[in-house]
């Protein structure tokens, strides 16, 4: 399981994926969430924090996020 932002960034790069601004916002939002959540709660949380992340982008990144733990 990945423990911090740097480890996750390295994991993303090792997978051959780009570390875009939108992906960084997503990672930050996930790290700040408390307990279990779903995509709708995550998007709502990010919106309240002023972070614009698309629903499609979240779903496209779910396999990578799950693999990262």
């Amino acid at each position: 399981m990945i423990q911090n932002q740097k480890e996750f960034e390295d994991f993303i790069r090792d997978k051959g994926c780009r570390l875009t601004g939108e992906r960084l916002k997503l990672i930050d939002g996930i790290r700040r969430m408390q307990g279990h959540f779903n995509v709708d709660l995550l998007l709502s949380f990010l919106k309240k924090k002023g972070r614009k992340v698309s629903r499609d982008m979240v779903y496209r990144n779910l396999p990578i996020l799950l693999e990262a733990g």
Side-chain angles (χ1 to χ4, degrees):
M1 180 180 224
I2 292 177
Q3 299 295 318
N4 62 50
Q5 180 99 10
K6 172 83 170 85
E7 286 180 31
F8 195 83
E9 291 173 10
D10 291 342
F11 176 82
I12 294 292
R13 286 187 190 104
D14 290 344
K15 296 297 287 179
C17 299
R18 292 182 344 178
L19 200 55
T20 63
E22 194 174 26
R23 194 170 271 146
L24 287 171
K25 291 175 193 175
L26 176 62
I27 295 166
D28 182 58
I30 290 170
R31 289 184 60 243
R32 293 174 185 267
M33 294 290 294
Q34 302 270 327
H36 294 278
F37 59 90
N38 61 31
V39 171
D40 291 326
L41 288 173
L42 175 60
L43 289 170
S44 176
F45 176 79
L46 290 168
K47 185 177 179 180
K48 287 178 187 174
K49 298 294 182 185
R51 309 276 185 168
K52 186 169 173 80
V53 174
S54 73
R55 178 179 301 276
D56 289 338
M57 194 282 269
V58 174
Y59 278 106
R60 281 193 312 269
N61 281 278
L62 280 178
I64 295 169
L65 297 169
L66 290 172
E67 186 178 339

